[in-house]
Amino acid sequence: MILVEKPWGYEKWLAYCKEYVMKEIFIKKGFKTSLQYHNQKKETNYVFSGKVKLTLGEFTTEAVQGTVVEILPGIKHQITAVDDSLLFEVSTYHLNDVIRLEDSYGRDVINTKTTIDLTKQGTGVYGTWKLKNLMK
């Protein structure tokens, strides 16, 4: 297991291999991840406890325990903790594939004019993503 401290909490890398990565992600109440997207990485997040605000493309919603969200490459996303929140993420192995568009903690962001045009990617109004709640 690898522990990665983040300004918003931490990540524990529970599994890492050439097929997939599994992480435990803890986000402190009131903190948020960077607004980011990935060129190759595909991830699925499960809200294990707490309550978060999910931003996916131009869409924002709250997610509670049991919510699962699948984020495909090219989709801008951000997670903000409404309460202390614990998530589990399973993704492809592309851990360095993070393009930050905004960050509240002074970490490097890219010039959005040099990135791909996210408004033309995906399908539907907000791009390709799925949101479901397994607790219903």
Side-chain angles (χ1 to χ4, degrees), residues 26-61:
F26 176 75
I27 306 172
K28 298 179 277 190
K29 178 181 179 177
F31 286 75
K32 61 185 173 183
T33 64
S34 59
L35 177 64
Q36 59 186 287
Y37 71 91
H38 313 291
N39 287 317
Q40 297 179 328
K41 182 182 173 190
K42 177 181 177 181
E43 63 187 66
T44 301
N45 290 282
Y46 172 74
V47 181
F48 183 77
S49 65
K51 183 178 186 181
V52 298
K53 182 174 77 169
L54 293 171
T55 300
L56 302 162
E58 303 304 315
F59 176 75
T60 300
T61 189

Side-chain angles (χ1 to χ4, degrees), residues 6-115:
K6 300 283 188 171
W8 40 259
Y10 67 80
E11 292 180 351
K12 284 183 187 173
W13 298 5
L14 304 174
Y16 178 80
C17 63
K18 67 180 184 175
E19 291 87 18
Y20 68 92
V21 176
M22 182 178 181
K23 298 178 189 176
E24 173 185 309
I25 299 173
F26 176 75
I27 306 172
K28 298 179 277 190
K29 178 181 179 177
F31 286 75
K32 61 185 173 183
T33 64
S34 59
L35 177 64
Q36 59 186 287
Y37 71 91
H38 313 291
N39 287 317
Q40 297 179 328
K41 182 182 173 190
K42 177 181 177 181
E43 63 187 66
T44 301
N45 290 282
Y46 172 74
V47 181
F48 183 77
S49 65
K51 183 178 186 181
V52 298
K53 182 174 77 169
L54 293 171
T55 300
L56 302 162
E58 303 304 315
F59 176 75
T60 300
T61 189
E62 286 193 343
V64 295
Q65 179 183 16
T67 302
V68 176
V69 62
E70 179 181 19
I71 303 170
L72 299 179
I75 301 302
K76 294 185 288 185
H77 57 282
Q78 183 173 52
I79 303 172
T80 304
V82 177
D83 298 322
D84 282 350
S85 299
L86 185 64
L87 296 86
F88 288 94
E89 174 186 292
V90 177
S91 73
T92 57
Y93 62 90
H94 306 95
L95 292 177
N96 291 325
D97 179 21
V98 177
I99 295 88
R100 285 192 191 102
L101 302 173
E102 296 174 9
D103 186 73
S104 298
Y105 313 105
R107 297 177 293 176
D108 289 340
V109 295
I110 60 162
N111 178 344
T112 56
K113 294 180 181 173
T114 63
T115 64

